[in-house]
Amino acid sequence: VLGLLCKWCSYSAADLAGTRHRKYPANIYIIQVPCSSWVDPLFILKALRMGFDGVLVSGCHPGDCHYQTGNYRARRRMSLTGKFLENLGVDPRRVKMSWISATEDYKFVEVVNEMVADLKDLGPNSMFADNGPRDAVET
Ligand code: FES
């Protein structure tokens, strides 16, 4: 799982989860981003094409964005991205958005556990495997 986490909140929550020795699946690869609005839908598409089974985008709660309206824009963009990916045949459970504040380490653990469980049910991401629809996307 690729985790794109806002540095002001969700990334700190992940850090806090580590400091508090909370257990969560080790198969999340976290990248700190300046704000959830920084996440370009192409990053998500590229991650799925690279073989990540899912992408978690997480930012500050509505009203708490460090850049005031960034997370509202991210929410709209993620909604459209979800519909676009669904049209490509990607199960919507592979891409998730969540609001997690810096003190919600327990919520970060819950979200990651839930997402990993969903992805285990779905199985590996083969949507963009070499002889799959990826060729169709490129043409
Ligand atoms: Fe955290 Fe914008 S600063 S979502």
Coordinates of all heavy atoms in Angstrom, one line a residue, residues 3-6 31 33-44 55-58 73-74 77-78 81 97:
G3 N 1.0 5.0 1.0 CA 0.4 6.0 1.8 C 0.9 7.4 1.5 O 2.1 7.6 1.7
L4 N 0.1 8.3 1.0 CA 0.5 9.7 0.8 C -0.1 10.5 1.9 O -1.3 10.7 1.9 CB 0.0 10.1 -0.6 CG 0.6 9.3 -1.8 CD1 -0.2 9.6 -3.1 CD2 2.0 9.5 -1.9
L5 N 0.7 10.9 2.8 CA 0.2 11.5 4.1 C 0.6 12.9 4.2 O 1.8 13.2 4.1 CB 0.7 10.7 5.3 CG 0.5 9.1 5.3 CD1 1.0 8.5 6.6 CD2 -1.0 8.8 5.0
C6 N -0.4 13.7 4.5 CA -0.1 15.2 4.8 C 0.9 15.3 6.0 O 0.7 14.7 7.0 CB -1.4 15.9 5.1 SG -1.2 17.5 5.8
I31 N 4.8 8.1 2.1 CA 5.5 9.3 1.6 C 4.8 10.5 2.2 O 3.5 10.6 2.1 CB 5.4 9.3 0.0 CG1 6.2 8.1 -0.6 CG2 5.9 10.6 -0.5 CD1 6.1 8.1 -2.1
V33 N 3.6 14.2 2.2 CA 3.3 15.2 1.2 C 3.0 16.5 2.0 O 2.5 16.5 3.1 CB 2.1 14.8 0.3 CG1 2.5 13.6 -0.5 CG2 0.8 14.6 1.0
P34 N 3.1 17.7 1.3 CA 2.9 19.0 2.0 C 1.4 19.2 2.4 O 1.1 19.8 3.4 CB 3.3 20.0 1.0 CG 4.1 19.3 0.0 CD 3.7 17.9 0.0
C35 N 0.5 18.6 1.7 CA -0.9 18.7 1.9 C -1.6 17.7 1.0 O -1.1 17.3 0.0 CB -1.4 20.2 1.5 SG -3.1 20.5 1.5
S36 N -2.8 17.2 1.4 CA -3.5 16.2 0.6 C -3.8 16.8 -0.8 O -3.9 16.1 -1.7 CB -4.8 15.8 1.3 OG -5.6 16.8 1.5
S37 N -3.9 18.1 -0.9 CA -4.2 18.7 -2.2 C -3.0 18.6 -3.1 O -3.2 18.8 -4.3 CB -4.6 20.2 -2.0 OG -3.4 20.9 -1.6
W38 N -1.9 18.2 -2.6 CA -0.7 18.1 -3.5 C -0.8 16.8 -4.3 O -0.1 16.7 -5.3 CB 0.5 18.1 -2.5 CG 1.8 17.9 -3.2 CD1 2.6 18.9 -3.7 CD2 2.5 16.7 -3.5 NE1 3.8 18.4 -4.2 CE2 3.7 17.0 -4.1 CE3 2.2 15.3 -3.2 CZ2 4.6 16.0 -4.5 CZ3 3.1 14.4 -3.6 CH2 4.3 14.7 -4.2
V39 N -1.6 15.9 -3.9 CA -1.7 14.6 -4.5 C -2.4 14.7 -5.9 O -3.6 15.0 -6.0 CB -2.4 13.5 -3.7 CG1 -2.5 12.2 -4.4 CG2 -1.7 13.3 -2.4
D40 N -1.6 14.4 -6.9 CA -2.1 14.5 -8.3 C -2.7 13.1 -8.6 O -2.1 12.1 -8.3 CB -0.9 14.8 -9.2 CG -1.3 15.0 -10.6 OD1 -2.1 14.2 -11.2 OD2 -0.9 16.1 -11.2
P41 N -3.9 13.1 -9.3 CA -4.5 11.8 -9.6 C -3.5 10.9 -10.4 O -3.5 9.7 -10.3 CB -5.7 12.2 -10.5 CG -6.0 13.5 -10.0 CD -4.7 14.2 -9.6
L42 N -2.6 11.5 -11.2 CA -1.6 10.7 -11.9 C -0.7 10.0 -11.0 O -0.2 8.9 -11.4 CB -0.8 11.6 -12.9 CG -1.6 12.2 -14.1 CD1 -0.8 13.1 -14.9 CD2 -2.2 11.1 -14.9
F43 N -0.4 10.5 -9.8 CA 0.4 9.8 -8.8 C -0.2 8.4 -8.5 O 0.4 7.4 -8.3 CB 0.7 10.6 -7.6 CG 1.4 11.9 -7.7 CD1 1.3 12.8 -6.7 CD2 2.1 12.2 -8.9 CE1 1.9 14.1 -6.9 CE2 2.7 13.4 -9.0 CZ 2.6 14.4 -8.0
I44 N -1.5 8.5 -8.3 CA -2.3 7.3 -7.9 C -2.3 6.3 -9.0 O -2.0 5.1 -8.8 CB -3.7 7.7 -7.5 CG1 -3.7 8.6 -6.3 CG2 -4.6 6.5 -7.3 CD1 -5.0 9.3 -5.9
V55 N -3.8 2.6 -2.7 CA -3.2 3.9 -2.3 C -4.1 4.6 -1.3 O -5.3 4.7 -1.5 CB -3.1 4.8 -3.6 CG1 -2.5 6.2 -3.2 CG2 -2.3 4.2 -4.7
L56 N -3.5 5.0 -0.2 CA -4.2 5.7 0.8 C -3.7 7.2 0.8 O -2.5 7.5 0.8 CB -3.8 5.1 2.2 CG -4.3 5.9 3.4 CD1 -5.8 6.0 3.5 CD2 -3.7 5.4 4.7
V57 N -4.7 8.1 0.6 CA -4.4 9.5 0.7 C -5.0 10.0 2.0 O -6.2 9.8 2.2 CB -5.0 10.3 -0.5 CG1 -4.7 11.8 -0.4 CG2 -4.4 9.7 -1.8
S58 N -4.2 10.6 2.8 CA -4.8 11.1 4.1 C -4.3 12.5 4.4 O -3.2 12.9 4.2 CB -4.3 10.1 5.2 OG -5.0 10.5 6.4
R73 N -10.3 20.6 -1.8 CA -10.0 20.4 -3.2 C -9.5 18.9 -3.4 O -9.9 18.3 -4.4 CB -8.9 21.3 -3.7 CG -9.4 22.6 -4.1 CD -8.4 23.6 -4.7 NE -7.8 24.3 -3.6 CZ -6.5 24.4 -3.3 NH1 -5.6 23.9 -4.1 NH2 -6.1 25.1 -2.3
A74 N -8.8 18.4 -2.4 CA -8.3 17.0 -2.5 C -9.5 16.1 -2.5 O -9.6 15.1 -3.3 CB -7.4 16.7 -1.3
R77 N -11.1 16.1 -5.9 CA -10.3 15.5 -6.9 C -10.3 13.9 -6.7 O -10.3 13.2 -7.6 CB -8.9 16.0 -6.7 CG -8.0 15.7 -7.9 CD -6.6 16.3 -7.7 NE -6.7 17.8 -7.6 CZ -5.8 18.5 -6.9 NH1 -4.9 17.9 -6.2 NH2 -5.9 19.8 -6.9
M78 N -10.3 13.5 -5.4 CA -10.3 12.1 -5.1 C -11.6 11.4 -5.5 O -11.6 10.3 -6.0 CB -10.0 11.8 -3.6 CG -8.6 12.1 -3.2 SD -7.4 11.0 -4.0 CE -7.8 9.4 -3.3
T81 N -11.3 11.0 -9.2 CA -10.3 10.0 -9.5 C -10.9 8.6 -9.3 O -10.6 7.7 -10.1 CB -9.0 10.2 -8.6 OG1 -8.5 11.5 -8.8 CG2 -7.9 9.2 -8.9
M97 N -9.4 7.6 0.8 CA -9.1 8.9 1.4 C -9.6 8.9 2.8 O -10.7 8.4 3.1 CB -9.7 10.0 0.6 CG -9.3 11.4 1.2 SD -9.4 12.7 0.0 CE -8.2 13.8 0.6

